């Protein structure tokens, strides 16, 4: 739920992040409840049994979820996505009432559901606006105290129904005597957000956009407010505004989405299945490695994982390094004469990567993600390549967007970093499935590493 800005700030600092998550869930949860209640009434009016009513409710929520009907809005309206809602109701009643009701009953039920839902949503939106006008608003910061930022802040102060109350600005210029005041510089966003219990940050100047990810990591809702006429608005779909000032809502961090849980479930399923099915292959590989390299078919190597945390990656041994320093700093052994026929076969077929399924099962790695690198090279590349550190925003993986484009082994690090960051920025579960299918295809024509 939203916080009362006039309340105790110390309490706001302690509970702000939790309230932000609750408020995120409250709006879509309320809309889902409206849809379910309206469908239950519709099904009862059509004389449907509880099982068919429940099926219709599930279907309408699923279809509306696909259509992003439950997406958060700064100022929700009861008429948002009205045509989609009508279509979802028709699909749900057709599928659930099939064989038990005439076409006339189905059509009338769809109309009744649409009417009830739009009315219910309008009532819910009215209650939200009323709560905002009574002070139940989200404390906000505007990053950028230029003319555009100040006009937007004045608009929000004059129209509390939008639920965003600007406490002040972050800007490089002090802005003495300004109201709302300039509370710090954009680089101070973490300290100001934590100190004031801020729950929303509006980026009103393009040069200050780096503050957006920092604010999002703290649990804030983050909006980009492009100026009217800015070229950006011709390339994106505008779904929200404040009195005709366009707003673009920043996507949630991947790890806070439902898809992230599904990604982990997929990882565990593949890892368990892969370890069971590959057990005989691993046993044969271990015997061959023992004959060619000696005892100890597995080796562990320190790598950098999610958010820069160190992990130990398990692989099949393809040669014995001279010492620990060589293991940590030798870039590639693709053409090393010490690698024998068995080692080359393991590398060419990627069988040496199979033990990393254990890392996936432990949670150190994921199936699809940026490849983990050794700390020595992470430090070196981070100094030389802008944005290289950004690839650690996602857990490291066995395969990934860069690998399926041939960027493995002795290839361009700049290209790898660009591909990895592109993957992190556009991550979806659908993209992971695409990469998995392309990886399977590449195994048919192995090219070594």
């Amino acid at each position: 739920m939203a916080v009362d800005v006039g309340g105790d700030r110390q309490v706001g600092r302690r509970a702000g992040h939790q309230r932000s998550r609750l408020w995120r869930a409250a709006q879509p949860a309320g809309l889902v409840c409206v849809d379910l209640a309206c469908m239950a009434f519709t099904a009862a009016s059509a004389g449907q049994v509880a099982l068919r009513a429940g099926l219709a409710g599930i279907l309408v929520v699923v279809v509306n979820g696909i259509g992003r009907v439950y997406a958060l809005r700064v100022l929700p309206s009861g008429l948002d996505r009205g045509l989609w809602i009508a279509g979802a109701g028709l699909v749900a009643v057709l599928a659930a009432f099939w064989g038990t009701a005439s076409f006339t009953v189905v059509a009338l039920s769809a109309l009744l559901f649409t009417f009830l839902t739009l009315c219910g949503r309008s009532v819910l939106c009215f209650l939200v606006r009323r709560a905002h006008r009574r002070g139940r608003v989200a404390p906000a910061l505007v990053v950028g105290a230029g003319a555009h930022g100040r006009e937007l802040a004045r608009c929000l102060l004059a129209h509390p129904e939008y639920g965003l109350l600007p406490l002040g600005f972050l800007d490089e210029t002090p802005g003495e005597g300004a109201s709302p005041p300039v509370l710090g510089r954009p680089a101070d966003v973490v300290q100001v957000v934590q100190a004031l219990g801020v729950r929303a940050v509006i980026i009103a100047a393009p040069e200050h956009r780096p503050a957006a990810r920092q604010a999002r990591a703290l649990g804030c809702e983050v909006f980009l407010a492009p100026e009217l006429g800015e070229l950006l608005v011709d390339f994106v779909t505008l779904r929200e505004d404040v009195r005709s000032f366009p707003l673009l809502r920043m996507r949630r961090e991947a790890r806070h989405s439902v898809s992230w849980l599904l990604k982990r479930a997929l990882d565990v399923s593949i890892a368990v299945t892969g370890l069971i099915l590959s057990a005989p292959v691993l046993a044969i590989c271990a015997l061959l490695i023992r004959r060619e390299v000696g005892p100890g078919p597995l080796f562990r190597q320190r790598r950098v994982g999610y958010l820069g945390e160190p992990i130990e990656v398990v692989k099949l041994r393809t040669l014995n390094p001279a010492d620990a320093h060589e293991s940590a700093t030798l870039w590639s052994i693709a053409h090393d004469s010490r690698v024998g026929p068995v080692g080359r076969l393991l590398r060419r077929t990627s069988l040496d990567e199979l033990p990393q399924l254990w890392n996936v099962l432990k949670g150190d790695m994921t199936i699809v993600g940026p490849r983990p690198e050794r700390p020595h090279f992470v430090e070196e590349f981070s100094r030389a390549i802008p944005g290289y550190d950004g690839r650690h925003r996602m857990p490291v993986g066995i395969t990934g967007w860069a690998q399926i484009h041939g960027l493995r082994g002795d290839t361009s690090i700049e290209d790898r970093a660009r591909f990895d960051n592109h993957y992190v920025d556009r991550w979806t579960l659908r993209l992971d499935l695409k990469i998995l299918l392309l990886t399977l295809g590449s195994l048919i024509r192995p090219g070594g590493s």
Side-chain angles (χ1 to χ4, degrees):
M1 58 184 292
V3 298
D4 188 342
V5 177
D8 181 73
R9 294 198 185 277
Q10 191 67 25
V11 174
R13 285 198 295 270
R14 289 196 301 267
H17 189 79
Q18 182 181 3
R19 277 197 299 265
S20 180
R21 290 185 175 182
L22 290 173
W23 180 244
R24 280 196 67 97
Q27 190 183 119
L31 295 175
V32 168
C33 289
V34 168
D35 285 357
L36 291 174
C38 293
M39 183 54 76
F41 183 85
T42 299
S45 300
Q48 298 297 313
V49 297
L51 181 61
R52 289 185 177 271
L55 175 60
I58 292 171
L59 286 173
V60 80
V61 170
V62 169
V63 175
N64 279 339
I66 293 172
R68 296 182 55 80
V69 170
Y70 305 123
L72 288 170
R73 294 286 187 270
V74 173
L75 187 64
S77 167
L79 299 179
D80 284 341
R81 307 303 305 278
L83 289 177
W84 185 281
I85 292 168
L90 180 59
V91 168
V93 297
L94 270 174
F97 299 177
W98 183 263
T100 64
S102 66
F103 177 79
T104 301
V105 171
V106 168
L108 290 175
S109 295
L111 289 174
L112 176 62
F113 169 78
T114 303
F115 174 74
L116 292 175
T117 302
L118 294 182
C119 289
R121 285 166 175 264
S122 296
V123 171
L124 182 63
C125 294
F126 170 76
L127 294 176
V128 169
R129 295 183 189 206
R130 185 179 181 185
H132 289 166
R133 290 193 183 98
R134 292 189 172 189
R136 306 296 293 181
V137 292
L141 287 176
V142 178
V143 182
H148 175 56
R150 291 197 172 277
E151 185 62 30
L152 181 58
R154 282 195 292 269
C155 187
L156 288 171
L157 288 170
H159 296 276
E161 64 268 21
Y162 286 93
L164 299 172
L165 178 65
L167 301 182
F169 296 94
L170 296 181
D171 200 88
E172 298 292 347
T173 305
E176 298 293 337
S179 180
V182 175
L183 302 173
R185 302 170 62 187
D188 303 324
V189 62
V190 173
Q191 294 89 335
V192 176
V193 165
Q194 291 176 336
L196 299 180
V198 169
R199 294 215 332 272
V201 172
I202 303 169
I203 309 297
E207 63 271 20
H208 300 320
R209 291 177 191 175
R213 283 179 178 157
Q214 292 177 291
R216 182 177 66 174
L218 294 171
C220 294
E221 290 290 336
V222 182
F223 301 91
L224 176 64
E227 295 192 39
L228 293 172
E230 189 172 327
L231 186 61
L232 174 67
V233 302
D234 292 324
F235 288 87
V236 297
T237 302
L238 298 176
R239 292 190 173 92
E240 300 188 82
D241 69 277
V242 171
R243 300 283 293 179
S244 293
F245 286 103
L247 284 184
L248 298 171
R249 188 184 296 264
M250 192 175 189
R251 290 182 303 172
R252 297 180 67 186
E253 286 186 300
R255 60 195 177 96
H256 292 149
S257 67
V258 175
S259 295
W260 191 260
L261 298 177
L262 297 177
K263 177 181 174 70
R264 180 58 186 159
L266 182 66
D267 283 345
V268 172
S269 301
I270 293 177
V272 170
T273 304
L275 286 171
I276 292 173
L277 295 180
S278 65
V281 177
L282 287 171
I284 294 171
C285 290
L287 292 173
L288 294 174
I289 290 169
R290 182 178 180 85
R291 290 186 59 184
E292 182 172 277
V293 181
L298 299 177
F299 81 97
R300 288 175 168 78
Q301 192 173 59
R302 194 175 180 84
R303 300 286 179 103
V304 176
Y306 182 43
L307 299 179
E309 292 295 321
I311 61 173
E312 270 196 341
V313 170
V314 185
K315 297 183 71 175
L316 288 176
R317 188 182 302 279
T318 53
L319 92 156
N320 282 319
D323 52 37
H325 178 73
E326 182 188 58
S327 177
T329 60
L330 181 64
W331 172 241
S332 175
I333 62 170
H335 304 292
D336 197 311
S337 60
R338 293 174 294 174
V339 180
V342 172
R344 294 193 186 282
L345 176 64
L346 294 178
R347 294 178 61 78
R348 190 163 56 248
T349 57
S350 298
L351 288 174
D352 62 324
E353 310 278 358
L354 278 177
Q356 290 178 43
L357 292 172
W358 176 248
N359 288 107
V360 173
L361 196 58
K362 288 171 57 183
D364 294 337
M365 294 177 63
T366 180
I367 297 294
V368 180
R371 283 294 293 159
E373 194 47 82
R374 285 161 286 180
H376 169 81
F377 292 108
V378 169
E379 293 178 10
E380 182 179 310
F381 298 151
S382 296
R383 288 194 299 267
I385 302 171
Y388 183 84
D389 272 347
R391 59 197 295 278
H392 295 123
R393 290 174 288 147
M394 183 73 74
V396 293
I398 296 176
T399 185
W401 189 242
Q403 291 93 301
I404 64 169
H405 285 87
L407 296 170
R408 51 184 301 184
D410 195 12
T411 54
S412 168
I413 303 303
E414 290 87 350
D415 287 349
R416 285 200 218 180
R418 186 176 71 255
F419 273 75
D420 285 338
N421 279 304
H422 177 69
Y423 164 77
V424 175
D425 288 337
R426 63 175 288 210
W427 177 81
T428 61
L429 193 62
R430 186 170 60 246
L431 179 59
D432 274 6
L433 295 175
K434 175 182 178 179
I435 292 171
L436 284 172
L437 290 174
L438 291 172
T439 300
L440 289 175
S442 69
L443 292 177
I444 300 173
R445 48 184 193 282
S449 60

